[in-house]
């Protein structure tokens, strides 16, 4: 058509023709349009569940001051700092900025900074990218999405929120339709309370050993425990960590069966909390939630409930797809208030990446366009009519792509097929027709009869 | 309730109590939940319009190799590079990575890299953050969202796409309901073709002078033109750049009225393209689109159509809210193919920020929660029933927050009011009631009658 030869002859680039062939940047994934369409569906679905419980969205900047990120003493994380390529003397005076490596530190900073503008309990969700400068190994990502929900309150936070975030997280993952989901819940106060009763002071060390029980097995765990203060109770601790229960009754029965069961009488809080959570989640399907006392979580800041989540039908996904817990006082590094919280984080991008690679069909990866309908352009003279028909269908809620050139109709249909658009509309002036690309049927149609 | 005193006594942080009071990071904006709710509505709305024309979403990593970003010779931009805080010898061997400063360079790289997996014409939209290490002045942002659409094709790209991206962009901004939107369109080939006819070689220099005509005025522009090769035509060029027209007829009439009008006979492409676009957009409201020959755009890579967009009812917003144009060959730095494109970018965050500050009410900034309904918790004993009622309403499409403690009902209602939740549900076992928080009316209700 009107594509005239370029008139600008004096552009600096065109003569040179230096070609830099781009390559993927290790650890920074990107998806093709057909994958991205499914990724968007997932985000929409997770967001719908989060909001259905009244969680509000926030986003924080990609960066925090390095001082903020290191206020919790977490500088050993693989932090990325950013710097202007052409830094001058002025910019050197500015605060150093680092890309956030999680959404918990930014949340704590956000709550402290906007404390007076927030209504508590503050129920927020956050779906953003985070960055970790890990060694490029085993498909570890350096940039990935997390989907987090947390509730923060002033002074006290009811245990019902520990049940709520678990329910929300279960529903969010379940909504992705990738098979059975199992939440495994424990409470650090159970073990810590017991160690208190036993007068063992090396609590964190023992938690860390028990955290690895699934990886290294009972025997190895016992060996490690035997080198600690708790050596004489190592068998009991391993038995305790081996408890799995589907209901509060089963949990308490199994505790009572332990020889050290009576030690919990003086210090029942952890068990009571866990039992209460199981009761509040009893509406979920069988196998959806279990108490699993081997769950400890690595992060130091958890003080009560801890969660992990397994995909029972996706063996290719190892580890926990969604984890979290309760923390007593996360923002104390930034504000002089007592702000307990509980939250869960979905490791979105790794989950999506594994599913994309192993279950592309089940995920519905295929169509390369969001369009419902492709509008045929019968001839250049009929462009206005075809465009107007497309607009009428858009007003009725459809996504409609107008074909761009008055080519032969089979060629236009081939394009719709390549893009995976399910319907082709033929806007003939003597009567419209619609072709169902799945069945091949072509039938008369009227835009006014189509409502989404 | 069950909030026991913290059992972990040996956490390293709790004793120290070093408080780092966080402050906003200049140029990296963040919003309160009530603002974010509106921002989300805006994103949803823009996305809906983009997809309604069949544009598919892509996202690219936040970073590109520095080589990719500088392949176009654009290193003078204020680029941020990222570096691991604890860089070791290995990481120094890796490619240098820079945060992208726009979405056009990443698009070009994406198309080159995934060329064989894409269907052309490739119609994509992209809504992501970009970063520019500008001096912190006049509210300039260093991190902000752009909403871009572009169409890329191989070898030839019909001019109808120049009209389509304009329509999409108009509709997207119009959907935000912030008053009248005016797209101003020109075509660089008009001026460049004329300068060709006049045997003027300093084309880019003259474009740059005319680009500033609105800022510096005709007199100053004439002075600057008088110092160029085109000195003898400076008055004619200023007249040409002063042309504004609502229709193709008006445009061509005004050109014919110029003393240099006949010079376009040999080189009509730019005018033909612009007239064609105006014709294809004639369904839009009066004032929605005008040809404005003063529009040039600063970026060197535009070769035909150029766009700017004004908000006619928001004087607080200066400059163009949405700009773009046609480029002949953007990906030639990365692939040996001829890939013309046309695209428009909405400067989302600055627009949102200005509107947020000047039109908070009109935008509907207020509610701090996405919830439609707050469920009262009448007593701890009735928790299961209240939670079950909340679930029934969620299944019917409502967003329902269950109040967290069995406080006095007026206190619970006060919370709903503070969060701006429009309905409060009282799940009494002898009959449910709903309170409309706007009117204060309280009426009997049944979840089964509520459908969203």
């Amino acid at each position: 058509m009107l594509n005239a030869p370029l008139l600008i002859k004096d552009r600096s680039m065109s003569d040179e023709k230096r070609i830099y062939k781009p390559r993927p940047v290790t650890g920074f994934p990107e998806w093709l349009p057909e994958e991205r369409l499914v990724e968007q569906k997932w985000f929409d679905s997770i967001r719908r569940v989060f909001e259905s419980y009244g969680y509000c969205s926030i986003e924080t900047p990609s960066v925090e001051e390095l001082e903020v990120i290191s206020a919790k003493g977490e500088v050993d994380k693989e932090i990325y700092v950013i710097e202007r390529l052409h830094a001058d003397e002025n910019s050197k005076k500015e605060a150093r900025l680092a890309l956030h490596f999680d959404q918990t530190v930014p949340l704590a900073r956000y709550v402290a900074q906007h404390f007076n503008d927030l209504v508590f309990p503050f129920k927020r969700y956050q779906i953003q990218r985070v960055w970790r400068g890990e060694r490029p190994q085993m498909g570890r990502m350096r940039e990935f999405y997390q989907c987090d929900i947390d509730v923060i309150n002033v002074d006290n936070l009811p245990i019902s929120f520990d049940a709520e975030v678990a329910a929300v997280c279960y529903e969010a993952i379940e909504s992705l339709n990738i098979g059975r989901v199992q939440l495994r819940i424990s409470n650090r106060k159970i073990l810590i309370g017991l160690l208190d009763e036993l007068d063992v002071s090396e609590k964190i060390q023992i938690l860390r050993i028990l955290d690895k029980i699934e990886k290294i097995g009972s025997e190895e765990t016992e060996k490690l425990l035997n080198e600690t203060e708790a050596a004489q109770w190592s068998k009991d601790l391993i038995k305790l960590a081996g408890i799995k229960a589907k209901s509060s009754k089963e949990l308490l029965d199994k505790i009572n069966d332990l020889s050290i069961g009576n030690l919990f009488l003086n210090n029942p809080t952890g068990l009571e909390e866990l039992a209460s959570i199981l009761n509040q989640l009893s509406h979920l399907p069988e196998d959806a939630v279990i108490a699993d006392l081997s769950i400890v979580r690595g992060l130091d800041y958890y003080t009560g409930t801890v969660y992990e989540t397994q995909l029972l039908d996706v063996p290719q996904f190892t580890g926990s797809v969604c984890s979290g817990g309760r923390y007593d006082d996360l923002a104390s590094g930034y504000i002089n208030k007592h702000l307990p919280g509980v939250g869960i984080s979905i490791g979105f991008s790794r989950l999506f990446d594994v599913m994309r690679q192993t279950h592309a069909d089940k995920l519905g990866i295929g169509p390369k366009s969001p369009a419902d309908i492709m509008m045929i352009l019968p001839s250049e003279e009929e462009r206005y009519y075809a465009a107007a028909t497309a607009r009428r269908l858009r007003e009725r809620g459809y996504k409609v792509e107008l074909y761009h050139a008055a080519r032969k109709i089979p060629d236009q249909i081939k394009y719709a097929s390549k893009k995976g658009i399910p319907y082709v509309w033929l806007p003939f002036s003597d009567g419209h027709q619609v072709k169902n690309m799945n069945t091949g049927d072509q039938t008369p149609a009227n835009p006014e009869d189509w409502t989404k």
Side-chain angles (χ1 to χ4, degrees), chain A residues 188-430:
Chain A
R188 283 193 168 189
K189 289 178 194 166
I190 296 172
L191 260 167
I192 302 232
L194 176 68
L195 296 173
D196 247 5
E197 287 297 307
L198 300 175
D199 267 333
V200 173
S201 61
E202 306 166 335
K203 296 184 183 71
I204 291 287
Q205 192 192 330
I206 287 161
L207 286 186
R208 286 203 176 126
I209 293 170
L210 287 169
D211 189 30
K212 291 191 205 114
I213 196 166
E214 286 225 344
K215 252 193 211 161
I216 63 175
S218 307
E219 233 171 279
E220 198 58 34
T221 307
E222 194 178 333
K223 263 191 218 158
L224 290 171
L225 286 175
N226 283 342
E227 288 161 24
T228 70
E229 276 182 70
Q232 53 178 309
W233 295 287
S234 56
K235 276 188 203 299
D236 298 298
L237 288 173
I238 286 169
K239 262 190 201 157
L240 181 71
I243 287 182
K244 291 182 173 47
K246 290 186 183 180
S247 68
S248 56
K249 189 181 172 304
E250 186 184 349
L251 172 67
L252 299 177
D253 285 351
K254 286 190 170 168
I255 293 282
N256 281 332
D257 287 350
L258 296 178
S259 55
I260 53 167
N262 62 328
L263 288 174
F264 289 97
L265 291 174
N266 292 330
N267 214 335
T269 314
L271 280 174
E272 279 174 10
E273 290 184 358
L274 184 52
S276 165
I277 293 170
L278 290 175
N279 287 339
Q280 289 181 54
L281 297 175
S282 58
H283 64 284
L284 293 176
E286 178 154 14
D287 284 331
V289 181
I290 60 166
D292 179 342
L293 300 196
S294 72
I295 306 292
V296 176
R297 303 299 305 151
L299 285 168
D300 282 356
Y301 54 68
Y302 293 127
T303 53
T305 308
V306 279
Y307 314 91
E308 291 194 355
T309 314
Q310 239 67 40
L311 296 178
L312 300 181
D313 301 324
V314 187
Q316 297 93 337
F317 190 91
T318 53
S320 171
V321 61
C322 168
S323 317
R326 174 180 276 251
Y327 35 89
D328 185 60
D329 204 5
L330 200 68
S332 63
Y334 315 119
I335 191 171
N336 200 1
K337 301 260 180 203
H338 179 61
L339 299 173
V342 63
I344 286 193
S345 176
I346 302 175
F348 183 94
S349 297
R350 193 168 79 84
L351 174 61
F352 181 73
D353 192 30
V354 169
M355 293 304 298
R356 175 187 76 93
Q357 291 185 45
T358 60
H359 293 71
D361 282 355
K362 193 175 177 343
L363 257 54
I365 292 177
K368 291 166 185 287
S369 163
D372 307 304
I373 298 171
M374 192 196 79
M375 183 67 55
I376 294 283
L377 181 63
S379 69
E380 206 45 61
E381 293 67 44
E382 286 163 284
R383 177 181 287 281
Y384 193 86
Y385 186 67
T389 309
R391 283 199 299 276
R392 276 161 75 196
L393 284 161
R394 279 186 207 115
E395 281 160 19
R396 307 183 76 81
Y398 291 94
K399 299 172 184 161
V400 188
E401 173 162 355
L402 174 62
Y403 194 74
H404 52 280
R407 300 235 173 84
K408 285 180 194 153
I409 287 177
D411 288 349
Q412 299 191 37
I413 290 177
K414 203 185 275 171
Y415 172 85
S417 163
K418 267 205 236 168
K419 283 215 166 169
I421 302 174
Y423 291 95
V424 169
W425 195 286
L426 303 105
F428 300 134
S429 45
D430 58 342

Side-chain angles (χ1 to χ4, degrees), chain A residues 61-72 75 79-82 93-101 105-106 109 113 334:
Chain A
S62 302
V63 300
E64 300 287 341
E65 287 185 37
L66 195 54
E67 273 287 334
V68 167
I69 284 194
S70 56
K72 280 269 154 197
V75 276
I79 290 173
Y80 278 118
V81 290
I82 71 170
K93 276 182 228 148
E94 294 172 21
R96 279 190 89 184
L97 302 176
L99 294 169
H100 53 223
F101 58 82
V105 170
R109 193 269 311 148
Q113 191 175 320
Y334 315 119

Side-chain angles (χ1 to χ4, degrees), chain A residues 39 43 46-47 50 56-64 99-107 109-110 124-132 142-149 345-350:
Chain A
E39 190 191 36
F43 280 130
I46 290 171
R47 173 182 164 190
F50 287 175
C56 70
S57 167
I58 68 164
E59 285 194 345
T60 61
S62 302
V63 300
E64 300 287 341
L99 294 169
H100 53 223
F101 58 82
D102 74 358
Q103 300 185 121
T104 311
V105 170
L107 170 65
R109 193 269 311 148
Y110 184 96
R124 86 87 175 79
Y125 75 90
Q126 197 165 346
I127 299 180
Q128 285 188 248
R129 290 174 169 184
V130 303
W131 293 266
R132 292 187 193 171
R142 293 172 162 190
E143 173 176 55
F144 54 96
Y145 274 103
Q146 284 190 343
C147 306
D148 287 16
I149 55 168
S345 176
I346 302 175
F348 183 94
S349 297
R350 193 168 79 84

Side-chain angles (χ1 to χ4, degrees), chain A residues 39-57:
Chain A
E39 190 191 36
Q40 281 183 296
K41 248 190 263 175
W42 279 31
F43 280 130
D44 290 345
S45 193
I46 290 171
R47 173 182 164 190
R48 198 179 312 118
V49 173
F50 287 175
E51 292 183 354
S52 78
Y53 281 81
Y55 287 73
C56 70
S57 167

